[in-house]
Amino acid sequence: MSAEFLAPRLRRVRPSPTAAISDQVRAFIASGVDVINLGEGELDFDTPAHIRQAGIDAIVQGDTKYTAVAGTAALKQAIITKFNRENGISYRADEVIAGSGAKQLIFNALLATVSGGDQVLIPAPYWVSYPDMVALAEGEPKIVPCLESHGWKLQPEDLAAAITPQTRWVILNSPNNPTGAVYSAEELKALAAVVLEHPQLLVMADDIYEQICFTSGEFATLAQVEPRLKDRILTVNGVSKGYSMTGWRLGYAGGPAWLISAMQILQSQSTSNPSSISQAATVVALEHGSEFITEWIEILSRRRTLIMNCINAIDGLSAEVPPGAFYVFANCQRMLGKTTPSGESLHTDEDFAAYLLKFAHVATLQGSAFGAPGYLRIAYAIDDKRLQEACDRITRACGELR
């Protein structure tokens, strides 16, 4: 169809880089090439058996009809209980909502509150979708660079300097995608002190990787450490990462009733309720806790060590050990300017990622997609043997560069 039929807002956004790399991987595999995908943010573990069974039971029992837009009463109660039990945050039923993934809830919150001229502060490196969501809401994404030397975390003085009268939101993602950075309670308190000085500022706490922390008791969230900000914080979470339920598409959020109501209105006119089957499974997931995560963390820790050993052994790559999530954000700047065996020069991190895909048949994601050129995001949540093979391929490919 001709481009003149498209709305102007669509020109402000780009296709998802993560979706693009997945499409490339599928194309390679379809042509018979054995590609190892270290580009997708997805655990390779099965959804725990008791949660799968809850989904099956829902189907068998006929729990397959429309539900309330914001989620069933049982799910909302499970969400309320989870926030209270694990995060020390108290919400009422009109202060929580379930949606078709955390991504939908973030988008709806921005669409409900952001207008032309409004700014949203996005610390970089950031999840690839944040700026484009803001753009679709006709706002202005304002990127606030964070330094590797600061653990990739937003500093209070940088937050204060970035705030203007037009600033509507600041987005905090901890554990962070793509860096794995985790904010301590003390670091969040320091940021909260800045936010308290600006009553027009809302905070999006994207906690989707909450369960994937390598130090017990390390996780904290802003509404927990600074209750005075509770009515200005949307705390977003879900079951995709910590419960290995990406395909179930179930996210949830807690926040002020006025915002939850607006998000519900948007949801009622777009997707309506999330899957009734996924909701039933999520009730069981949240009520039964995540004891299995201890074993998962042990496996992920072993894989993290494997990929770190690989990076440390390659001249031209470096990385700090990430305390959370399941990514390593590797500095590849010393690889740029080198020449491939076919005579092509690597000018950018995108060139380097493309070289690894073409030559080593290993998919990664360039740091520029996350607002941090010169880096590479490597997802290590795959089978140990395949991860070792990927490390061997990367090592060989880097050794061929001149």
Side-chain angles (χ1 to χ4, degrees):
M1 182 174 285
S2 181
E4 65 259 24
F5 288 98
L6 298 177
R9 73 175 68 89
L10 202 59
R11 292 196 290 270
R12 305 185 68 193
V13 300
R14 56 184 177 163
S16 167
T18 49
I21 193 66
S22 297
D23 289 343
Q24 291 180 50
V25 169
R26 292 187 189 97
F28 270 102
I29 292 174
S31 65
V33 178
D34 176 29
V35 175
I36 301 177
N37 192 356
L38 305 184
E40 282 191 330
E42 185 172 52
L43 291 170
D44 67 320
F45 307 129
D46 286 334
T47 302
H50 67 287
I51 301 174
R52 299 200 306 268
Q53 187 60 52
I56 294 170
D57 291 345
I59 296 172
V60 172
Q61 294 165 9
D63 191 6
T64 56
K65 306 297 184 182
Y66 291 133
T67 74
V69 170
T72 63
L75 177 55
K76 294 181 79 172
Q77 185 56 55
I79 293 167
I80 290 169
T81 300
K82 184 273 174 201
F83 275 129
N84 194 27
R85 179 186 66 235
E86 299 180 12
N87 306 116
I89 310 172
S90 296
Y91 289 116
R92 303 187 307 266
D94 62 346
E95 295 176 317
V96 297
I97 186 172
S100 299
K103 190 172 191 176
Q104 181 193 24
L105 298 174
I106 294 170
F107 180 77
N108 284 352
L110 293 171
L111 195 63
T113 56
V114 174
S115 304
D118 288 341
Q119 295 175 345
V120 176
L121 303 185
I122 304 174
Y126 49 72
W127 178 45
V128 295
S129 292
Y130 293 146
D132 294 286
M133 287 180 173
V134 173
L136 278 171
E138 301 184 349
E140 298 297 330
K142 185 174 182 179
I143 309 305
V144 185
C146 301
L147 302 178
E148 186 175 7
S149 59
H150 290 153
W152 295 118
K153 299 174 192 177
L154 179 64
Q155 301 300 296
E157 58 271 22
D158 294 331
L159 172 60
I163 296 171
T164 73
Q166 290 73 45
T167 305
R168 185 68 164 157
W169 285 93
V170 59
I171 298 177
L172 294 177
N173 174 215
S174 174
N176 176 263
N177 173 13
T179 67
V182 179
Y183 287 85
S184 68
E186 291 72 22
E187 289 166 334
L188 289 174
K189 286 178 183 177
L191 294 173
V194 177
V195 176
L196 282 167
E197 296 178 0
H198 299 275
Q200 88 282 8
L201 186 59
L202 300 169
V203 181
M204 181 91 66
D206 182 353
D207 296 350
I208 194 67
Y209 291 91
E210 173 184 357
Q211 306 289 349
I212 316 297
C213 284
F214 293 95
T215 302
S216 178
E218 185 176 31
F219 178 79
T221 192
L222 194 64
Q224 175 186 25
V225 303
E226 183 45 89
R228 288 179 294 174
L229 285 175
K230 178 172 173 276
D231 289 339
R232 287 200 272 145
I233 298 171
L234 183 71
T235 303
V236 181
N237 212 316
V239 292
S240 62
K241 309 299 182 180
Y243 295 84
S244 198
M245 294 173 67
T246 48
W248 297 76
R249 305 313 303 138
L250 200 295
Y252 58 87
W258 66 266
L259 177 56
I260 298 300
S261 175
M263 293 165 63
Q264 181 174 328
I265 290 170
L266 284 173
Q267 192 163 298
S268 73
Q269 298 293 359
S270 55
T271 61
S272 191
N273 63 273
S275 161
S276 61
I277 299 159
S278 298
Q279 289 190 63
T282 299
V283 170
V284 170
L286 296 181
E287 288 182 345
H288 286 74
S290 54
E291 293 80 7
F292 52 84
I293 199 68
T294 300
E295 180 183 357
W296 288 7
I297 291 293
E298 290 176 358
I299 295 170
L300 290 172
S301 181
R302 182 175 69 241
R303 294 171 178 175
R304 181 181 63 166
T305 298
L306 196 161
I307 195 70
M308 286 300 303
N309 288 342
C310 171
I311 291 169
N312 290 333
I314 296 174
D315 185 26
L317 293 181
S318 63
E320 297 295 324
V321 178
F326 40 81
Y327 311 106
V328 170
F329 203 54
N331 188 323
C332 64
Q333 294 172 39
R334 288 189 293 144
M335 289 295 184
L336 307 184
K338 293 191 175 185
T339 304
T340 71
S342 59
E344 299 170 333
S345 181
L346 303 179
H347 298 290
T348 66
D349 54 353
E350 188 171 3
D351 292 340
F352 183 55
Y355 168 69
L356 292 180
L357 180 58
K358 182 178 178 181
F359 184 88
H361 298 149
V362 176
T364 58
L365 270 176
Q366 65 273 14
S368 53
F370 304 93
Y375 289 82
L376 200 69
R377 192 193 76 171
I378 303 172
Y380 55 83
I382 68 168
D383 175 77
D384 292 37
K385 290 182 179 179
R386 291 289 283 172
L387 183 60
Q388 182 61 63
E389 172 63 22
C391 289
D392 293 343
R393 293 184 186 186
I394 292 171
T395 300
R396 287 195 298 271
C398 290
E400 293 289 333
L401 295 172
R402 295 293 179 265

